[in-house]
C-alpha cells in the first residue's frame, strides 16, 4: 500500500486539469432531495418531449419567446452568463417562467432524449405533462 500512494500522487500530477475537474465533478455528493427533484424534472421533461411541443437551442428559444409561444424556459447550469441573462431578460418581459436545470448541457440533452448537447430549451406546449404548473 505504501508503494501505491506515491504512484497515485504522481499519476494525479501527470493528468491534466480537465480530467481532474471531471473526476472531482463526478465524485460530488448529491442529497436525496436534489436527486429526487432532478428525477422529477427529468420525468416531466420526457413526457413533454413525447406528448408536447418544445424547441431546443438558443436561437429558436428566443424566437419562441418573442412570438409569445414559450410557456417555460429551461436553462442548463453551464449556459454562458451573458446568454443566460439575455434569455432571463426576455422571459421577464414576456412573463415566462425560467427553470435553472441543475445539470449541465449534456445532462439536459440526455433528459430530452437527444444524443447531443442542449443548453436552452423552451416548452411551447406541455402536452399531458404538468411541467409548467410545477
Amino acid at each position: 500500500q505504501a508503494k501505491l500512494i506515491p504512484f497515485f500522487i504522481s499519476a494525479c500530477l501527470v493528468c491534466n486539469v480537465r480530467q481532474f475537474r471531471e473526476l472531482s465533478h463526478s465524485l460530488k455528493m448529491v442529497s436525496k432531495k436534489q436527486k429526487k427533484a432532478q428525477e422529477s424534472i427529468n420525468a416531466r421533461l420526457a413526457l413533454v418531449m413525447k406528448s408536447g411541443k418544445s424547441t431546443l437551442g438558443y436561437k429558436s428559444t428566443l424566437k419562441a419567446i418573442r412570438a409569445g409561444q414559450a410557456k417555460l424556459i429551461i436553462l442548463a447550469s453551464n449556459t454562458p452568463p451573458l446568454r443566460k441573462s439575455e434569455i432571463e431578460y426576455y422571459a421577464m418581459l414576456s412573463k415566462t417562467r425560467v427553470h435553472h436545470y441543475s445539470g449541465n448541457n449534456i445532462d439536459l440533452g440526455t433528459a430530452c432524449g437527444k444524443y447531443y448537447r442542449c443548453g436552452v430549451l423552451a416548452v411551447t406546449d406541455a402536452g399531458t405533462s404538468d411541467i409548467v404548473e410545477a
Side-chain angles (χ1 to χ4, degrees):
Q1 241 183 2
K3 291 181 180 180
L4 290 177
I5 293 172
F7 174 74
F8 178 75
I9 292 171
S10 63
C12 286
L13 292 174
V14 171
C15 71
N16 63 20
V17 175
R18 184 175 182 192
Q19 289 173 337
F20 179 75
R21 284 184 184 157
E22 288 174 359
L23 180 65
S24 64
H25 178 70
S26 64
L27 294 176
K28 283 184 181 174
M29 293 295 202
V30 180
S31 69
K32 287 183 181 180
K33 196 172 187 179
Q34 287 174 334
K35 195 170 185 179
K36 190 161 181 130
Q38 180 80 4
E39 289 172 1
S40 172
I41 193 77
N42 285 352
R44 289 176 177 159
L45 200 51
L47 197 55
V48 166
M49 298 307 284
K50 194 170 187 176
S51 67
K53 289 186 179 181
S54 62
T55 58
L56 299 172
Y58 173 70
K59 286 184 178 180
S60 59
T61 297
L62 281 181
K63 287 177 187 176
I65 294 171
R66 286 190 202 119
Q69 298 170 345
K71 308 281 189 294
L72 173 72
I73 297 160
I74 301 174
L75 293 168
S77 65
N78 63 342
T79 305
L82 184 65
R83 189 171 281 194
K84 191 181 285 190
S85 64
E86 185 178 3
I87 288 176
E88 287 171 345
Y89 177 70
Y90 275 107
M92 183 212 36
L93 290 176
S94 66
K95 296 182 177 115
T96 306
R97 289 190 43 214
V98 176
H99 176 76
H100 295 278
Y101 191 74
S102 59
N104 59 11
N105 57 357
I106 298 170
D107 298 334
L108 184 57
T110 305
C112 294
K114 306 297 180 191
Y115 293 109
Y116 47 84
R117 298 171 291 191
C118 173
V120 184
L121 165 86
V123 176
T124 53
D125 179 30
T128 57
S129 177
D130 63 341
I131 196 167
V132 178
E133 289 85 31

